[in-house]
Amino acid sequence: MAAVTLKDVAERAGVSIKTVSNVVRDAPRVSEATRTRVMSAVRELGYRPNPSARRLRTGRSGLIALAVPDLATPYFAELAHHVRAEAAALGFTVLIEETLGDTKEELRLATGVGASLLDGVILSPLHVTPDELAPVTDQFPLVLLGERSYEGDRVVADHVLIDNVAAAREATAHLAGLGRTRIAAIGVDKAGSATSRQRLEGFQQALHAAGLTYDPGLAPQVKDFDRRGGLQAMRTLTALPPGQRPDAVFCFSDLLAVGARRALYEADVSIPGDVALAGVDGSEEALYGTPSLTSVVPDKAAIASLAVKCLVNRVRAEEPPPFEVHTAPHWLEVRESTGGERESLKP
């Protein structure tokens, strides 16, 4: 049985082939009535886009990938939602890859190896280094997310990030501004990741500005930025002698803060009365729970928009443009865990 073509769909819907193409690619500026009619014809005829044929015709497949370490992490799930929407608006389909922080997998995706139909990749790496990426980034469209750990002004790929040092500094300054003097940090990881190093730097800067001293005993190490890591680290802190326990805690992620909140509940410690608590990521999870968590909110919609547009520009360019670093906005949302007002969540 012959494959259904764009022409077949166009004839059934009574529109042009270009209109069908625009609808299938989810391009903007197509009326809802026309979109509904075309999609009805698509379903009736069982039309399926052919990426291989599109690549032969245009040199591109219209497929890009988003590769993240862990899809179970709310931050990456929310980011993927925004990336898909931004890509669809530009006529691209997104494939989601989970690397689990494996260096070989990160490098494979960064080079497009084994993914011949992909036009490019947005990668959030944990372990692959700039030196490992440098020889290949001129050969395949790539945009990096997350922390930048280049030396000097050296840029090896397009990069979208937030200012992690500033984000940590602002959250810690907020805790110090509440009059807290024994501020702990949860998120110093054993692997020494760029995220951990930069957020620790901002934490220490804020302590210094407030006239406070950094105490390594108030910065228990974690293996991962997850709930269990926060739970275990906070249990370590609550087990300290009474005079040595923290009166505030800055967690390097919301998931760490969620685990820490549970440990404080187990220890019958009042939040924020006894211990003020703040995190980073602006995840939905920070809102649901008692108390709601104060959090630094990266603008995930802006991160997605910058990353997708940057990648698409590189895919479509006849001559690859110079690599650029883009910084997305962030802000601090003060909630109940540091004395903010109780919020009424919308149903």
Side-chain angles (χ1 to χ4, degrees):
M1 192 172 178
V4 177
T5 66
L6 286 176
K7 182 179 179 182
D8 297 327
V9 177
E11 290 176 352
R12 175 66 65 92
V15 298
S16 68
I17 293 175
K18 181 173 178 57
T19 297
V20 174
S21 177
N22 287 339
V23 171
V24 170
R25 293 186 296 107
D26 201 19
R29 295 189 295 277
V30 177
S31 72
E32 281 306 310
T34 299
R35 191 181 300 276
T36 300
R37 192 162 71 250
V38 170
M39 290 308 297
S40 177
V42 165
R43 287 190 293 270
E44 290 172 8
L45 296 175
Y47 171 75
R48 295 290 183 272
N50 186 334
S52 297
R54 178 175 176 177
R55 169 152 281 194
L56 287 173
R57 186 173 66 254
T58 67
R60 298 189 294 270
S61 67
L63 299 176
I64 61 174
L66 170 66
V68 299
D70 183 6
L71 285 170
T73 300
Y75 174 84
F76 290 119
E78 293 171 28
L79 181 67
H81 167 78
H82 290 293
V83 167
R84 190 216 62 81
E86 288 291 334
L90 294 174
F92 284 78
T93 298
V94 181
L95 305 180
I96 308 296
E97 295 275 0
E98 186 178 45
T99 67
L100 300 178
D102 182 81
T103 304
K104 291 182 179 178
E105 185 67 1
E106 290 176 351
L107 191 57
R108 180 185 71 82
L109 288 163
T111 58
V113 173
S116 58
L117 285 180
L118 289 178
D119 289 335
V121 171
I122 299 171
L123 171 67
S124 181
L126 281 185
H127 296 124
V128 70
T129 67
D131 286 340
E132 291 172 311
L133 289 173
V136 300
T137 51
D138 281 328
Q139 304 168 24
F140 183 69
L142 173 70
V143 174
L144 300 177
L145 302 179
E147 288 61 49
R148 178 183 175 188
S149 57
Y150 310 139
E151 294 181 5
D153 295 327
R154 179 169 170 261
V155 179
V156 302
D158 292 316
H159 205 140
V160 179
L161 43 73
I162 68 164
D163 187 337
N164 266 293
V165 175
R169 186 171 59 241
E170 290 161 20
T172 307
H174 168 65
L175 296 173
L178 299 175
R180 308 301 169 114
T181 58
R182 290 189 57 78
I183 305 176
I186 293 180
V188 178
D189 66 24
K190 298 175 182 177
S193 69
T195 302
S196 180
R197 293 197 310 271
Q198 292 174 11
R199 292 181 183 174
L200 178 61
E201 181 182 348
F203 173 76
Q204 292 173 320
Q205 287 180 3
L207 290 183
H208 179 74
L212 302 174
T213 302
Y214 172 65
D215 180 357
L218 292 179
Q221 288 190 337
V222 300
K223 181 180 178 182
D224 298 299
F225 277 25
D226 59 11
R227 301 171 188 87
R228 184 177 298 277
L231 178 75
Q232 293 172 340
M234 195 68 242
R235 282 175 175 171
T236 298
L237 293 170
T238 57
L240 292 171
Q244 298 177 26
R245 295 172 191 167
D247 57 10
V249 181
F250 169 55
C251 297
F252 293 6
S253 78
D254 282 352
L255 286 187
L256 288 170
V258 167
R261 181 175 60 189
R262 174 67 190 187
L264 290 169
Y265 170 78
E266 291 176 348
D268 198 26
V269 174
S270 169
I271 307 172
D274 297 322
V275 174
L277 185 64
V280 181
D281 283 343
S283 65
E284 285 284 314
E285 190 161 0
L287 289 169
Y288 295 89
T290 304
S292 58
L293 292 170
T294 290
S295 181
V296 176
V297 183
D299 191 335
K300 290 181 280 291
I303 292 170
S305 179
L306 285 166
V308 171
K309 289 176 180 176
C310 194
L311 184 66
V312 169
N313 287 342
R314 187 162 291 279
V315 168
R316 291 175 172 170
E318 293 185 8
E319 290 292 332
F323 296 132
E324 292 185 280
V325 176
H326 303 272
T327 302
H330 68 268
W331 59 88
L332 180 69
E333 289 197 359
V334 178
R335 301 193 180 108
E336 295 166 336
S337 67
T338 63
E341 295 183 2
R342 180 178 299 178
E343 300 172 77
S344 178
L345 299 177
K346 296 179 181 180

